[in-house]
Amino acid sequence: MKRFNITLAAAAMIMANALPSSACTNFIVTRGASTDSSVLVSYAADSHQLYGCLYHYMPSRRAARTMPVYEWDTGRYIGDIAQAAQTYSTVGNMNEHSLIITETTFGGRHELENPDGGIDYGSLIYITLQRARTAREAIRIIVDLADTYGYCSSGESFTIADPDEAWIMELIGRGKQGKGIVWVARRIPDGYVSAHANQARITTFPKDDPENCLYSDDVVELARSMGWYEGTDEDFSFADAYAPLDFSAMRGCEARVWSFFRTVADDMDKYVDYAMGHNPDNRMPLWVKPRTKVSPKMVFDAMRDHYEGTPMDMTTDLGAGGHGLPYRWRPMNFEVDGVEYCNERATATQQTGFWLVGQARKGKTGILWFGVDDAATSCLTPIYCNSTEVAECIAEDNGSMLDYSPTSSFWIFNRVANFAYLRYDLIAADVRKSIDQWENDKLSQVARIDAAAAAMSPAKARKYLTEYSVNTAQQLFDRWVELDRYLLVKYIDGNVKGENADGFIDNGNGRDIPGKIEWPGYNEKWKRAVAADNGEVLRVVK
């Protein structure tokens, strides 16, 4: 099977039609906040044009002196940079040393964009993963690359984590003021959780604590020179200077952070007015302490959130239709009688290309829990971060957004999801049952797989973990093919076929004719709305 280097051919081939990742989500759990003392980082790569597959890089034995850089979002050739003397293997957004780097784009001040820069945010991520062993080393390499070759993207929030610690690094270009980036990086205190979702979140920061906070020398001065800040160094806020808040930043971005925080921590309802975009002065903290330790499964499920149980619950208003659909098709805003309204942008969204939860485990091989398409209707499968192969169903060259592949996980998960969107309150429950069964089973297997690998030589262990990762991903694909067929048989044409322990109920004549069919109809809110809209025409006359 052909393999691609994501910084070379794959960037041009796979991402040629991708939009900027301006709708992504990162949740971060430090070692002291997790149930198993691992560092957990989630990421949803959301774009209406992004194809979901697992990027894979294995170092070449004959390293060239230079390497080309292609812009991750567009495939545009940017230029060449010096190749590193040593590189490491990667799977997705994690490398063989359990270093994890993910992102969300906040955009920020357009004046600081420089399209002539020599490296973009996506290349910074994947090239750094090939060159760094730790989070602190990754921060240094990101800065060196951007300042050496120039930065051509807009503002970014990076999550950078290893088995010991997790950092948020926020950066933006210098525009015409010079090459490279201005930036700040803060280490999340152990025992806390954090998040970011397309809005810069680092406000004020300590200037004399290099163990926990790093920043560029001119991060304050550049803002002053542009007229964006006039106060003291101590009061300087990176987010306020380089990415000022507006309604959409709070409602479409910070609301996702708030929803995660309220899931794992107490006393977060006091920020609901901020999350809804009504009170920018009531800003949330950069990190919070969870009420209890956070498990990997809790992070998996947090990525499936649609604001259930909040004033922004996407399943309860009329926009959810007659079956509680927690999705709103784009565009995000609409106008009625001169008044502008917004649709919610929840963590789980239909246009996800791929999503993941990286699990960096001290003393153990890290795991990239990887999935494709909408997190609410898809599963994560464990990929050990030292894997040397990728399953065919999630390989880079298997299908595309314009090329349906019957052997692609992305396409089978989309088939199931799009069918579920038709009658979400009914079909999604069956999908979720399959999701939970799969993920709980794989989570319970991890200890046994770890123990088996620990008893082997490093070479044999790597082969064993690779085979497990490949085979398990393929098993998930096969299971979803069966789920797709089952759902079609059960829910075809608005019917719901009855079931018992032996399967679908037939009429007893042995000819597979269903003996029990239900017609659940629509929910009460929808029926009342239809009656109010067209009741005079639809009313039954007695």
Side-chain angles (χ1 to χ4, degrees):
M1 187 178 300
K2 189 174 182 181
R3 296 291 180 229
F4 292 92
N5 176 345
I6 186 60
T7 61
L8 304 176
M13 294 180 66
I14 299 170
M15 311 309 276
N17 295 312
L19 290 172
S21 297
S22 58
C24 303
T25 306
N26 283 196
F27 300 152
I28 313 158
V29 180
T30 57
R31 283 189 66 200
S34 68
T35 54
D36 62 355
S37 299
S38 64
V39 176
L40 299 163
V41 176
S42 74
Y43 178 44
D46 300 331
S47 165
H48 295 271
Q49 293 172 286
L50 176 63
Y51 185 68
C53 58
L54 182 60
Y55 311 137
H56 182 225
Y57 169 80
M58 290 295 291
S60 171
R61 294 182 179 179
R62 295 171 295 186
R65 291 185 177 180
T66 63
M67 61 175 292
V69 175
Y70 296 90
E71 189 171 35
W72 193 64
D73 284 325
T74 66
R76 174 178 68 95
Y77 169 71
I78 299 175
D80 286 4
I81 67 172
Q83 177 61 282
Q86 181 179 15
T87 58
Y88 308 114
S89 68
T90 70
V91 286
N93 290 63
M94 194 172 191
N95 74 10
E96 62 182 289
H97 301 292
S98 296
L99 175 67
I100 307 165
I101 308 178
T102 58
E103 60 78 33
T104 71
T105 301
F106 65 77
R109 301 283 190 178
H110 295 299
E111 300 92 324
L112 299 182
E113 295 180 17
N114 177 14
D116 298 325
I119 198 163
D120 67 296
Y121 79 96
S123 299
L124 279 179
I125 291 173
Y126 294 107
I127 293 173
T128 300
L129 283 169
Q130 295 167 18
R131 301 183 179 196
R133 295 173 62 98
T134 68
R136 290 173 189 264
E137 186 180 5
I139 293 170
R140 178 184 60 77
I141 290 173
I142 288 170
V143 173
D144 287 347
L145 287 170
D147 287 351
T148 299
Y149 299 104
Y151 179 67
C152 65
S153 298
S154 60
E156 286 286 330
S157 298
F158 283 174
T159 299
I160 307 173
D162 61 31
D164 290 307
E165 55 188 10
W167 292 70
I168 293 179
M169 179 183 189
E170 296 192 327
L171 57 93
I172 196 167
R174 290 194 174 97
K176 296 180 180 179
Q177 323 317 309
K179 188 190 293 185
I181 55 175
V182 288
W183 58 278
V184 58
R186 298 203 66 181
R187 187 181 71 85
I188 303 167
D190 195 39
Y192 286 73
V193 303
S194 189
H196 53 90
N198 304 120
Q199 170 58 34
R201 304 207 63 244
I202 298 177
T203 54
T204 57
F205 54 92
K207 311 300 189 296
D208 56 356
D209 186 10
E211 276 300 303
N212 299 294
C213 185
L214 303 168
Y215 55 92
S216 56
D217 293 339
D218 63 341
V219 66
V220 180
E221 189 53 42
L222 178 63
R224 283 201 185 99
S225 71
M226 299 296 290
W228 300 327
Y229 183 66
E230 297 179 350
T232 65
D233 286 4
E234 291 71 24
D235 293 333
F236 176 75
S237 163
F238 182 93
D240 289 323
Y242 293 115
L245 283 171
D246 58 17
F247 175 84
S248 64
M250 290 179 282
R251 186 64 169 260
C253 305
E254 290 283 80
R256 283 176 270 154
V257 174
W258 170 78
S259 196
F260 171 60
F261 281 0
R262 71 181 292 274
T263 300
V264 299
D266 293 326
D267 204 25
M268 292 306 300
D269 284 346
K270 65 184 179 183
Y271 298 108
V272 66
D273 58 349
Y274 173 77
M276 294 186 70
H278 301 159
N279 186 3
D281 295 328
N282 190 27
R283 200 167 200 148
M284 292 182 298
L286 181 56
W287 45 65
V288 297
K289 193 171 185 63
R291 67 178 71 89
T292 60
K293 296 291 182 74
V294 179
S295 70
K297 180 60 171 164
M298 291 170 66
V299 179
F300 297 179
D301 291 341
M303 294 296 288
R304 300 182 165 111
D305 180 70
H306 305 108
Y307 299 127
E308 287 89 348
T310 78
M312 296 176 282
D313 192 332
M314 298 176 73
T315 66
T316 57
D317 71 349
L318 190 59
H323 293 287
L325 179 66
Y327 297 99
R328 305 294 182 269
W329 315 133
R330 275 28 181 188
M332 292 292 295
N333 290 7
F334 61 96
E335 187 175 306
V336 176
D337 297 332
V339 179
E340 188 176 12
Y341 301 89
C342 70
N343 286 316
E344 308 297 352
R345 196 308 192 187
T347 299
T349 186
Q350 67 272 13
Q351 75 272 13
T352 298
F354 65 84
W355 66 294
L356 59 88
V357 175
Q359 188 177 13
R361 309 181 301 161
K362 194 171 181 64
K364 298 178 181 178
T365 304
I367 303 175
L368 185 80
W369 296 88
F370 183 77
V372 291
D373 192 41
D374 178 1
T377 50
S378 65
C379 267
L380 292 172
T381 192
I383 309 291
Y384 277 83
C385 70
N386 62 350
S387 294
T388 58
E389 297 179 33
V390 170
E392 178 189 13
C393 59
I394 51 176
E396 297 171 33
D397 54 346
N398 186 4
S400 74
M401 289 297 283
L402 298 177
D403 178 21
Y404 179 86
S405 169
T407 60
S408 160
S409 290
F410 179 80
W411 281 113
I412 192 61
F413 276 99
N414 266 282
R415 287 176 64 93
V416 169
N418 279 268
F419 188 56
Y421 296 159
L422 299 176
R423 285 181 290 163
Y424 199 84
D425 54 349
L426 302 173
I427 301 174
D430 274 343
V431 177
R432 183 57 185 269
K433 189 185 306 179
S434 294
I435 288 171
D436 289 341
Q437 288 172 348
W438 172 268
E439 289 178 350
N440 288 329
D441 180 58
K442 298 312 160 201
L443 284 163
S444 68
Q445 284 183 5
V446 166
R448 176 174 60 81
I449 301 302
D450 288 345
M456 302 175 185
S457 68
K460 287 186 177 181
R462 188 167 192 169
K463 183 175 185 294
Y464 171 73
L465 295 176
T466 297
E467 290 176 350
Y468 172 78
S469 301
V470 169
N471 293 336
T472 303
Q474 203 63 45
Q475 289 166 14
L476 176 58
F477 171 83
D478 294 340
R479 182 174 295 197
W480 238 246
V481 169
E482 289 302 315
L483 178 63
D484 180 45
R485 295 168 179 166
Y486 163 79
L487 294 173
L488 181 61
V489 171
K490 181 175 179 178
Y491 291 103
I492 191 171
D493 295 337
N495 300 324
V496 181
K497 292 183 177 69
E499 295 178 90
N500 57 28
D502 299 322
F504 293 116
I505 302 172
D506 65 32
N507 63 1
N509 67 4
R511 293 186 176 273
D512 292 328
I513 298 174
K516 181 181 180 183
I517 294 179
E518 297 176 349
W519 300 287
Y522 299 90
N523 61 38
E524 184 67 19
K525 189 164 192 171
W526 181 252
K527 288 186 285 187
R528 290 184 176 277
V530 171
D533 177 64
N534 202 31
E536 290 302 313
V537 173
L538 300 177
R539 180 181 299 157
V540 176
V541 179
K542 302 284 187 178

